[in-house]
Amino acid sequence: MAIAFKRKTSLTLDAAALEAARDLGVNVSAVAETAVRRAVADARRRKWLDENADAFAAQAEWHDHNGHPLADIITSPGQTSWTR
């Protein structure tokens, strides 16, 4: 298991929200860490999609022109998987 090294940081948060979180026992550090991890994952996904947009477009164009190579075995929801 990897050891997580933590670093102290400073955040500026809405005072009422922070007070409510403390009153309710919400671990603000854990919530912030989860939100930052999710934001990083979302940003990485958007970046990857953007960096690969040309390849996706080329693949879609190829499929439009040639059809999908596995079209005869691809299924949609509620359909059987193989045709005979």
Side-chain angles (χ1 to χ4, degrees):
M1 180 187 309
I3 297 173
F5 292 100
K6 305 252 179 176
R7 183 184 306 165
K8 192 171 198 158
T9 190
S10 174
L11 296 173
T12 302
L13 302 172
D14 177 79
L18 185 57
E19 177 97 12
R22 287 189 177 149
D23 288 347
L24 294 167
V26 173
N27 182 334
V28 174
S29 292
V31 170
E33 182 175 350
T34 299
V36 168
R37 286 180 187 277
R38 183 172 296 143
V40 167
D42 290 347
R44 283 181 176 152
R45 181 180 184 279
R46 284 189 306 273
K47 181 181 178 196
W48 184 85
L49 289 170
D50 185 53
E51 290 172 347
N52 291 283
D54 291 343
F56 298 139
Q59 181 182 30
E61 183 179 334
W62 189 93
H63 283 232
D64 288 344
H65 183 262
N66 299 295
H68 196 287
L70 301 176
D72 57 337
I73 63 170
I74 291 177
T75 64
S76 59
Q79 301 295 317
T80 58
S81 59
W82 297 95
T83 58
R84 291 182 189 219

